Amino acid sequence: MAMPLRQSIKVATYLAEQKLRKRDKFPLIVELEPLFACNLKCEGCGKIQHPAGVLKQRMPVAQAVGAVLESGAPMVSIAGGEPLMHPQIDEIVRQLVARRKYVFLCTNAVLLRKKIDKFTPSPYFAFTVHIDGLRERHDESVAKEGVFDEAVEAIKEAKRRGFRVTTNSTFFNTDTPQTIIEVLNYLNDDLKVDEMMISPAYAYEKAPDQDHFLGVAQTHELFRKAFSGGSRRRWRLNHSPLFLDFLEGKVDFPCTAWAIPNYSLFGWQRPCYLMSDGYVPTYRELIEKTDWDKYGRGKDPRCDNCMAHCGYEPTAVLATMGSLKESLRAMRETVAGNRE
């Protein structure tokens, strides 16, 4: 696990505070979507399926920042749509960083080199570039040639300017252990990104391509083989060791979607950013008025093949904090990652 030590300490302190206050539900990171519009049409995404009038909307800065502050989460993942299309995205980032929130701006990087002057490097800020494979595979997943090469150049430029750069890779049933190994080796060793996040593709109901998502058994086999060569410990993966165990099928967890709530133009989304069972105007209403017990594998058929980090990474983090053995294991991997 390659999370910076300062961030690890802040998250651990935050979790300890929640325990002292005897809160059983709280946010670890907010998924903030200040727009749904995008400049690509990825096969696995359904956000751009919204009506044209919705795609033209942009969330005001005060509303975006206010939602994060309302939740109290220490971290924010800004997604969409493509956040760099928002005319005030730099101001949203600036205000959140000023409040010492750890901000990850998720982007396909097509506009990154054009917009990079709007941002300032900070230990509280990182660009998170979506990379789903090497050149041919990535360009196929985003349905446009040249995107991989542009993303690579954008990553290099951002690193050159002193920004932290992380990546997010989604893997489908068309992937093999070798394609996973190849892209993670490239990101880790050649581009030397700061952290990498990985996720099995979940059958997102609005996604145009419904044929290439992974089932649970497929996910276990795929990641067990990809990790079998020992690279799992070498790669700078931004995941708890227990979540990686979960991907391999070594442990199982219940879903804790409440720990990574989604806030968009419509409000707080029930129960997570991948499923839409309605919206509420306040974070408190989301937590207190949602029947969380009815979601998760074995409870809701829509959840049966989901192993996405938005539901299961926070469970793994909480399980880590509740175990001295796992806490020491995570600490060792964090320290080792920061030494590289």
Side-chain angles (χ1 to χ4, degrees):
M1 191 167 61
M3 182 184 291
L5 191 57
R6 179 190 298 181
Q7 183 179 344
S8 298
I9 292 172
K10 180 166 184 175
V11 171
T13 301
Y14 169 80
L15 292 174
E17 289 174 352
Q18 307 313 305
K19 186 174 182 178
L20 286 173
R21 295 176 182 180
K22 298 183 179 180
R23 292 177 176 169
D24 61 346
K25 290 183 176 61
F26 48 84
L28 189 60
I29 182 170
V30 168
E31 293 273 0
L32 177 67
E33 295 179 325
L35 80 172
F36 293 127
C38 190
N39 48 5
L40 293 177
K41 297 180 180 180
C42 301
E43 293 296 322
C45 178
K47 297 296 183 180
I48 60 172
Q49 303 301 314
H50 290 291
V54 173
L55 294 178
K56 291 179 181 178
Q57 295 180 30
R58 305 291 184 264
M59 187 182 292
V61 173
Q63 182 181 347
V65 175
V68 175
L69 298 181
E70 176 196 2
S71 75
M75 298 181 288
V76 187
S77 174
I78 305 179
E82 171 51 54
L84 291 178
M85 293 176 64
H86 193 297
Q88 296 175 293
I89 190 62
D90 56 318
E91 183 61 18
I92 293 175
V93 169
R94 189 192 68 77
Q95 290 197 25
L96 290 172
V97 167
R99 290 165 172 81
R100 296 190 176 184
K101 302 294 184 180
Y102 282 94
V103 180
F104 299 86
L105 193 155
C106 303
T107 176
N108 57 40
V110 171
L111 295 173
L112 182 50
R113 288 198 288 174
K114 295 179 181 178
K115 303 282 188 176
I116 197 168
D117 289 333
K118 291 176 171 286
F119 301 91
T120 302
S122 166
Y124 290 94
F125 175 66
F127 289 112
T128 299
V129 180
H130 202 92
I131 299 288
D132 281 347
L134 297 182
R135 182 180 292 108
E136 182 179 352
R137 197 166 199 81
H138 180 73
D139 286 355
E140 181 182 6
S141 74
V142 301
K144 187 175 181 180
E145 292 184 4
V147 174
F148 177 83
D149 289 338
E150 178 58 36
V152 167
E153 292 305 313
I155 289 171
K156 291 178 179 178
E157 178 65 11
K159 291 286 290 180
R160 186 186 70 80
R161 293 188 182 213
F163 288 96
R164 293 188 65 244
V165 180
T166 69
T167 56
N168 184 15
S169 300
T170 304
F171 298 110
F172 297 81
N173 64 12
T174 50
D175 277 292
T176 66
Q178 188 58 35
T179 62
I180 294 176
I181 291 168
E182 287 172 354
V183 69
L184 293 182
N185 277 343
Y186 179 73
L187 296 171
N188 192 87
D189 302 335
D190 296 306
L191 287 186
K192 300 185 185 302
V193 300
D194 293 280
E195 300 168 348
M196 301 176 292
M197 187 165 63
I198 57 179
S199 185
Y202 162 72
Y204 181 41
E205 61 183 352
K206 291 185 178 180
D209 180 2
Q210 291 287 316
D211 298 326
H212 296 115
F213 293 102
L214 286 162
V216 172
Q218 288 176 299
T219 297
H220 290 163
E221 181 179 10
L222 183 64
F223 285 102
R224 186 163 53 243
K225 290 180 178 179
F227 293 158
S228 64
S231 290
R232 171 181 148 172
R233 292 180 63 87
R234 184 178 65 82
W235 289 326
R236 291 182 295 279
L237 295 172
N238 184 22
H239 294 291
S240 64
L242 277 179
F243 179 73
L244 298 177
D245 288 349
F246 171 72
L247 291 182
E248 289 192 60
K250 294 179 179 179
V251 295
D252 198 15
F253 292 122
C255 174
T256 49
W258 47 263
I260 306 186
N262 173 271
Y263 185 78
S264 71
L265 293 165
F266 299 143
W268 294 98
Q269 182 172 327
R270 286 185 173 135
C272 64
Y273 83 98
L274 292 169
M275 289 169 53
S276 179
D277 283 356
Y279 299 84
V280 293
T282 67
Y283 173 74
R284 182 173 181 176
E285 187 174 351
L286 173 74
I287 294 300
E288 296 181 356
K289 299 296 179 67
T290 302
D291 184 1
W292 299 103
D293 291 335
K294 74 178 185 180
Y295 295 107
R297 284 187 282 120
K299 298 178 180 180
D300 186 317
R302 295 172 298 175
C303 304
D304 285 348
N305 287 314
C306 179
M307 296 183 68
H309 58 84
C310 66
Y312 296 97
E313 176 72 86
T315 324
V317 170
L318 293 173
T320 298
M321 292 295 294
S323 164
L324 177 59
K325 177 183 176 181
E326 291 300 333
S327 295
L328 292 173
R329 178 189 179 197
M331 188 181 300
R332 285 194 302 269
E333 295 197 16
T334 296
V335 171
N338 280 279
R339 284 175 178 170
E340 293 183 0

